[in-house]
Amino acid sequence: MGSARLGAIAIDCPDPVALADFYKNVLGLEVALSSDELVVLSGADVFLTFERVAEHVPPTWPAATVSKQLHLDLAVADLDAEEARIIACGAAKADVQPRPDQWRVLIDPAGHPFCITTLLP
């Protein structure tokens, strides 16, 4: 067995400071490092990093015009309460909701879709 482990998940975006602030508020994480080009959040099992990409084009999910390169699934206890709280933090609810009784698709301020679900531990 190797000694490699997942250390961070990096998210490309046009404004790392703004997007990191959104996820900091949603997930209750702390800023470990911050610059105009890179913000690192800590407080979970892995770092969540936000990196500036000048020509970033947000995904067009569910249309495949611009594919989603990655999305986060966030475990929650109450879908309705967390959906309302996260939307108040700046997310938008996606028009398409494949299984809204089990998970909800939201869109972060940079246009990335992510899910909240009660199906994860």
Side-chain angles (χ1 to χ4, degrees):
M1 178 181 220
S3 62
R5 66 178 180 80
L6 181 62
I9 298 169
I11 299 175
D12 293 347
C13 60
D15 185 347
V17 173
L19 193 58
D21 190 57
F22 169 77
Y23 280 104
K24 177 180 73 96
N25 291 327
V26 167
L27 297 170
L29 301 176
E30 298 294 324
V31 175
L33 174 73
S34 182
S35 74
D36 290 342
E37 301 300 315
L38 171 71
V39 178
V40 177
L41 297 181
S42 65
D45 290 336
V46 298
F47 287 118
L48 192 55
T49 71
F50 303 88
E51 301 176 16
R52 182 179 307 280
V53 172
E55 302 298 322
H56 180 261
V57 178
T60 55
W61 183 89
T65 309
V66 178
S67 68
K68 59 181 176 157
Q69 299 84 20
L70 163 119
H71 77 273
L72 300 175
D73 288 335
L74 308 180
V76 301
D78 182 317
L79 282 172
D80 294 330
E82 285 301 299
E83 176 184 300
R85 184 184 72 79
I86 293 169
I87 287 172
C89 288
K93 188 170 183 176
D95 292 335
V96 175
Q97 296 293 322
R99 303 198 79 182
D101 59 321
Q102 296 179 328
W103 71 82
R104 309 277 167 80
V105 182
L106 303 176
I107 308 295
D108 74 21
H112 303 100
F114 67 97
C115 297
I116 58 172
T117 182
T118 56
L119 299 176
L120 297 173

